[in-house]
Amino acid sequence: MPSVMFLAVQHEYCGPMDKNAGSCPKSEEKREKMKRTLLKDWKARLSYFLQNSSTPGKPKPGKKSKQQTFIKPSPEEAQLWSETFDELLASKYGLAAFRAFLKSEFCEENIEFWLACEDFKKTKSPQKLSSKARKIYTDFIEKEAPKEINIDFQTKTLIAQNIQEATSGCFTTAQKRVYSLMENNSYPRFLESEFYQDLCKKPQFPTDPHTT
């Protein structure tokens, strides 16, 4: 299934006014040019997420923040992401690519919530646990939250009760549901996206006509 961005391009070039043309009036060359533009936009989004993929927070005074370097995966490494959803999430480059894809589909709140829960579960301090629980609730759970996720009313009510005495399991049920939603819906679409297919392509080396 093509990505939302690619569908939009198809709609733009093959609109209802082209009925009598038999095919799109734009040449294949222009189609390829638009595909390259979309891939360029993907790479720009990916670059942004790679640069901002570290744990959110202000750097400590007197300490210089280290710039992390991410190496583009080989086609073989990228192909591993299609084996399981966990393989994709375990790769920093893959995770950044998936976040960029979700942003293009206007549902990046799902992966952001999942990542916030992963960070939350690693928190040891009871004070920090409580403050993080409230922030996750106000960002993702409560009605009309800025990044409200799609979960049922009963789960929301249970979370509201649990954060009164926050534990590492406050958001377990909601996180599992969001994970399942991404695994069964967004993940298959990501694997079919132009960007992912491009990462999986092996470089084509020109053949020497004189080679026997």
Side-chain angles (χ1 to χ4, degrees), residues 114-157:
W114 186 85
L115 289 169
C117 289
E118 288 296 287
D119 175 67
F120 177 77
K121 289 187 294 187
K122 297 173 186 175
T123 304
K124 303 297 182 184
S125 165
Q127 290 80 11
K128 288 184 178 179
L129 202 66
S130 181
S131 62
K132 284 185 178 183
R134 287 195 298 270
K135 180 166 176 54
I136 292 174
Y137 181 79
T138 55
D139 284 352
F140 299 100
I141 307 298
E142 70 179 0
K143 187 177 180 181
E144 298 183 0
K147 301 175 184 179
E148 186 177 2
I149 56 172
N150 185 18
I151 56 175
D152 60 89
F153 178 76
Q154 288 79 7
T155 302
K156 287 189 175 188
T157 302

Side-chain angles (χ1 to χ4, degrees), residues 4-185:
V4 171
M5 294 173 67
F6 187 56
L7 283 172
V9 173
Q10 287 183 312
H11 179 73
E12 179 182 351
Y13 284 96
C14 303
M17 297 300 291
D18 301 326
K19 288 180 181 177
N20 300 323
S23 62
C24 295
K26 302 295 181 181
S27 66
E28 286 299 319
E29 182 180 349
K30 289 189 177 182
R31 280 176 174 273
E32 290 302 317
K33 184 178 179 181
M34 182 56 70
K35 282 185 181 182
R36 288 194 296 271
T37 302
L38 288 175
L39 287 174
K40 186 177 179 181
D41 180 68
W42 264 100
K43 288 171 183 175
R45 289 178 185 273
L46 179 57
S47 176
Y48 170 81
F49 281 115
L50 287 176
Q51 291 171 13
N52 295 275
S53 61
S54 57
T55 303
K58 295 181 180 179
K60 294 181 179 179
K63 289 190 176 182
K64 294 181 180 179
S65 59
K66 293 182 180 179
Q67 182 66 38
Q68 289 182 302
T69 302
F70 295 90
I71 301 172
K72 180 179 178 181
S74 66
E76 291 77 14
E77 289 172 320
Q79 286 167 8
L80 288 175
W81 303 346
S82 66
E83 292 185 0
T84 67
F85 188 38
D86 284 333
E87 282 283 353
L88 174 64
L89 296 180
S91 164
K92 288 185 178 180
Y93 199 103
L95 176 59
F98 187 59
R99 289 182 70 182
F101 174 74
L102 291 182
K103 190 170 182 65
S104 76
E105 292 207 328
F106 306 102
C107 57
E108 66 269 28
E109 69 276 359
N110 289 328
I111 191 65
E112 289 182 12
F113 171 72
W114 186 85
L115 289 169
C117 289
E118 288 296 287
D119 175 67
F120 177 77
K121 289 187 294 187
K122 297 173 186 175
T123 304
K124 303 297 182 184
S125 165
Q127 290 80 11
K128 288 184 178 179
L129 202 66
S130 181
S131 62
K132 284 185 178 183
R134 287 195 298 270
K135 180 166 176 54
I136 292 174
Y137 181 79
T138 55
D139 284 352
F140 299 100
I141 307 298
E142 70 179 0
K143 187 177 180 181
E144 298 183 0
K147 301 175 184 179
E148 186 177 2
I149 56 172
N150 185 18
I151 56 175
D152 60 89
F153 178 76
Q154 288 79 7
T155 302
K156 287 189 175 188
T157 302
L158 180 62
I159 291 172
Q161 294 170 354
N162 288 342
I163 64 171
Q164 301 305 315
E165 294 183 9
T167 66
S168 59
C170 278
F171 303 99
T172 299
T173 301
Q175 187 184 16
K176 285 181 179 178
R177 293 190 181 184
V178 167
Y179 178 95
S180 179
L181 182 66
M182 292 190 294
E183 183 180 34
N184 294 317
N185 292 281

